[in-house]
Amino acid sequence: MYIRKWSKLLFVLLALLSKESGAKTNSKNAVVEDIADFKDFKKLIRTKTNVLVLFVAGVKEAPVELKVFREAANVVRGTGTMVLIDCLQSERKKLCKKLKVSPNSYIFKHYKDGDFHKDYDRQVSVASMVNFMRNPTGDLPWEEDPEGADVLHFDDYKSFQRHMQKDTRPMLVMFYVPWCGYCKRLKPDYSKAATELKGKPYVIAAMDVERTENAPARRAYNITGFPTILYFERGQLKSTYEGDNNKEGIISFMKDPDAAPVQKEKEADWSADPNSEIVHLTSQGFEPALKDEKSVLVMFYAPWCGHCKRMKPEYEKAALTMKERKIPGVLAALDATKEKTIAAQFNVRGYPTLKYFVHGVYKFDVNVRDAAKIIEFMQDPKEPPPPPPPEKSWEEEEGSEVLFLNEENFNTLKRKKHALVMFYAPWCGHCKKTKPEFNAAAEALKDDPRIVLAAVDCTKQQNLCKSHGVNGYPTIVYFSYLKTKADYSGGRSSKDFISYMTNPNLSASEPVHVKHKVDEL
């Protein structure tokens, strides 16, 4: 009898434990839901630098939005924090009132670095929320802009390949990066062309190749400048688009891609301008023209060079001012694409290049672009100071707590529970901006033996970077004992790095980071 009672009791206890254990195991909720006090809320947004809050007037008022919110929260773990506050609950009414939030049904608000940043005003979709949380201060992604709705946006290179296999329609693809000025200027016309061609047997598409998952496209099509626009037929690359960068040019090309591009009106030859105050030089007259002049500044240019075109009116303005104010000296110009021998003689490698001569003898290069600076120089022509000595490599800098890795010592990460590795190139501008923040984070975390912030110079350790699928710089990757690997896609401030590496979830048996497949070089 006693045995039966104890067995029954044991069965109940085991069932309860199993239920509780199962609840913990299956829980995938990454949304913070226990904030009810104003002080706790302020503490949260101070310690978590990237916070999106969903305020609801009862959870039943926003079932779709809440579902999307929870799914996005699971994706951005380690990058941002998602918080749910039900303003209808009695214990949270005071908090909502204090924050001056009174949702009719729901409202999203973003908090950054301890303060309110902005209302979330993008699409209520997982992709949009994830994009926003990864870069809350960035521009609206093109694929979310209503004007670009008729452009086919490829999320990744694999979806591009799948499309190529099943859709044989003629397709124009613009490969771009969000920060590119030329890309930004072309987007409106490209979007309008897509809208006008909607319903026709053509595809107007685009791909953001700054994303790591799209790096294979850059390699496959040797994309080195932006935008690069390629034309495909029956899933095969046929040509590079060389028409006008406007709606009309794109539409005309798609309707007849084999037609020769319309010849743009030829620009007038600068040297043929009768109103020019510039002395235009040629190979034959170069030495005689300069020999008798005490002070001459020569602009070596190419007619197609955008920087030269922008400088030309400034150069003309400076020459006219010098004439009016009787400032001694001559401003001259030479078309380096025509006079290649002279350009090679003076080692001209880029445009515009400005060189200063005295009685035909070259003295030094000058770096001035606007009229005021040109005039200032010609009034008192002095050689610019020598360039600063080359920067020390990051590894040579003193005082850094960053561990620099190579093929020999990379396996030492097996002893570290939490390692954040920055794969970089010394010439990379984004790497240079990130470096001091990474240093500061390494300094702040140096006393924790479980944590290390490390770096790999990919110009020196090419095989190591290739083995870890590095396709762009900086690529930042999290490792745990070298058994767990996850891409880091959070912010690049020291606070972001510190917050990520001290996230208590990192101590869990399974990492909270979003995992991505690594593309092999």
Side-chain angles (χ1 to χ4, degrees):
M1 183 177 177
Y2 286 109
I3 293 173
R4 255 188 290 172
K5 282 185 177 179
W6 278 108
S7 298
K8 188 175 182 180
L9 181 61
L10 182 60
F11 177 81
V12 172
L13 285 170
L14 287 171
L16 288 170
L17 287 169
S18 176
K19 185 177 180 182
E20 183 181 7
S21 174
K24 288 179 180 178
T25 303
N26 297 324
S27 175
K28 294 182 179 179
N29 182 24
V31 176
V32 178
E33 299 185 36
D34 59 352
I35 301 295
D37 183 73
F38 181 71
K39 289 183 179 178
D40 290 339
F41 181 82
K42 294 298 287 185
K43 182 179 178 182
L44 174 78
I45 64 173
R46 281 197 301 268
T47 55
K48 303 293 185 181
T49 58
N50 181 18
V51 181
L52 185 63
V53 184
L54 170 57
F55 295 93
V56 295
V59 292
K60 292 182 179 179
E61 291 294 315
V64 175
E65 292 75 18
L66 183 54
K67 182 177 183 294
V68 170
F69 193 69
R70 291 190 189 283
E71 290 181 20
N74 282 310
V75 179
V76 301
R77 276 177 160 174
T79 300
T81 304
M82 314 282 268
V83 179
L84 173 65
I85 296 177
D86 186 351
C87 295
L88 202 63
Q89 293 180 353
S90 57
E91 65 269 29
R92 289 172 175 79
K93 283 183 178 178
K94 188 181 289 186
L95 172 59
C96 293
K97 187 176 181 180
K98 189 83 173 175
L99 294 171
K100 298 180 181 179
V101 177
S102 53
N104 292 327
S105 55
Y106 69 90
I107 188 171
F108 297 96
K109 290 186 176 289
H110 185 258
Y111 297 82
K112 186 177 184 297
D113 298 328
D115 291 310
F116 172 71
H117 172 221
K118 63 180 291 188
D119 286 343
Y120 175 82
D121 55 0
R122 297 189 186 177
Q123 298 173 17
V124 181
S125 70
V126 175
S128 293
M129 283 189 185
V130 170
N131 282 338
F132 175 81
M133 291 300 284
R134 286 176 176 170
N135 187 13
T137 58
D139 294 334
L140 180 71
W142 191 8
E143 63 266 28
E144 295 181 35
D145 188 342
E147 290 187 358
D150 295 317
V151 175
L152 174 61
H153 296 276
F154 292 110
D155 293 330
D156 52 52
Y157 185 59
K158 287 187 176 179
S159 65
F160 169 77
Q161 289 179 308
R162 286 195 296 269
H163 179 90
M164 297 272 280
Q165 290 172 356
K166 67 181 183 181
D167 192 340
T168 59
R169 289 178 296 169
M171 180 169 69
L172 197 65
V173 185
M174 174 174 162
F175 297 90
Y176 71 97
V177 290
W179 47 262
C180 159
Y182 294 107
C183 305
K184 290 179 180 180
R185 287 194 286 275
L186 180 56
K187 280 179 184 179
D189 274 84
Y190 198 79
S191 297
K192 289 174 184 175
T195 299
E196 193 160 321
L197 292 172
K198 187 177 181 181
K200 303 288 195 303
Y202 314 115
V203 179
I204 304 295
M207 181 189 290
D208 177 356
V209 288
E210 187 175 49
R211 296 176 182 173
T212 305
E213 56 268 32
N214 290 334
R218 294 174 73 163
R219 296 196 301 273
Y221 300 111
N222 193 29
I223 297 168
T224 57
F226 310 106
T228 292
I229 306 176
L230 302 180
Y231 175 67
F232 297 82
E233 279 188 3
R234 300 185 182 278
Q236 299 295 321
L237 174 62
K238 187 173 182 183
S239 63
T240 299
Y241 175 75
E242 296 180 347
D244 289 338
N245 288 338
N246 55 40
K247 183 188 77 171
E248 291 73 20
I250 293 165
I251 292 172
S252 175
F253 174 84
M254 292 305 289
K255 289 181 177 179
D256 188 5
D258 294 321
V262 177
Q263 293 295 318
K264 299 176 184 178
E265 186 178 344
K266 189 176 180 180
E267 293 186 30
D269 187 344
W270 187 13
S271 63
D273 183 357
N275 299 315
S276 177
E277 294 294 337
I278 304 299
V279 175
H280 290 274
L281 303 170
T282 63
S283 297
Q284 292 180 342
F286 189 85
E287 289 185 9
L290 269 58
K291 186 176 181 181
D292 296 329
E293 296 291 344
K294 185 178 179 182
S295 176
V296 183
L297 187 63
V298 180
M299 173 181 169
F300 293 80
Y301 71 96
W304 47 259
C305 159
H307 295 293
C308 304
K309 290 177 182 179
R310 285 190 286 275
M311 182 179 168
K312 176 182 167 183
E314 294 292 315
Y315 207 54
E316 289 280 9
K317 182 180 176 181
L320 182 61
T321 303
M322 288 174 62
K323 180 180 179 182
E324 292 172 347
R325 291 166 50 180
K326 298 182 179 178
I327 297 171
V330 174
L331 297 187
L334 180 135
D335 183 345
T337 64
K338 288 182 178 179
E339 311 297 347
K340 294 180 181 179
T341 304
I342 296 292
Q345 179 183 338
F346 291 100
N347 199 28
V348 174
R349 295 181 178 179
Y351 310 113
T353 292
L354 281 84
K355 294 181 178 287
Y356 183 68
F357 294 80
V358 174
H359 292 303
V361 178
Y362 163 72
K363 293 297 182 180
F364 47 79
D365 281 14
V366 181
N367 185 22
V368 288
R369 293 290 184 271
D370 59 84
K373 292 292 184 183
I374 295 167
I375 293 166
E376 182 182 337
F377 170 80
M378 292 302 288
Q379 286 178 313
D380 186 17
K382 291 181 179 177
E383 184 173 2
E391 294 181 11
K392 284 186 177 180
S393 69
W394 190 3
E395 196 167 351
E396 293 173 333
E397 293 178 6
E398 297 179 2
S400 176
E401 294 295 333
V402 173
L403 172 65
F404 292 92
L405 300 172
N406 52 46
E407 290 186 2
E408 294 179 1
N409 68 355
F410 194 86
N411 281 338
T412 60
L413 297 186
K414 287 181 177 179
R415 299 193 293 270
K416 292 296 180 179
K417 187 169 186 178
H418 306 303
L420 197 62
V421 181
M422 176 174 160
F423 295 88
Y424 74 98
W427 48 259
C428 157
H430 293 296
C431 304
K432 291 178 181 179
K433 291 178 183 177
T434 305
K435 185 175 76 173
E437 301 295 328
F438 207 70
N439 278 337
E443 177 68 28
L445 298 171
K446 67 180 180 181
D447 295 327
D448 191 332
R450 304 170 306 159
I451 296 175
V452 65
L453 270 71
V456 178
D457 182 347
C458 290
T459 62
K460 296 179 180 178
Q461 309 297 329
Q462 295 178 8
N463 291 335
L464 184 59
C465 295
K466 183 178 180 180
S467 67
H468 288 281
V470 176
N471 299 309
Y473 308 116
T475 292
I476 304 175
V477 181
Y478 167 80
F479 295 90
S480 180
Y481 299 122
L482 283 185
K483 293 180 179 179
T484 299
K485 180 179 179 181
D487 291 344
Y488 173 85
S489 56
R492 292 180 183 173
S493 71
S494 57
K495 288 183 180 179
D496 293 322
F497 294 132
I498 293 166
S499 174
Y500 181 86
M501 295 301 281
T502 55
N503 187 329
N505 285 322
L506 284 176
S507 301
S509 58
E510 287 295 328
V512 297
H513 309 286
V514 184
K515 292 183 180 179
H516 302 284
K517 290 183 179 179
V518 179
D519 294 314
E520 296 295 335
L521 285 170

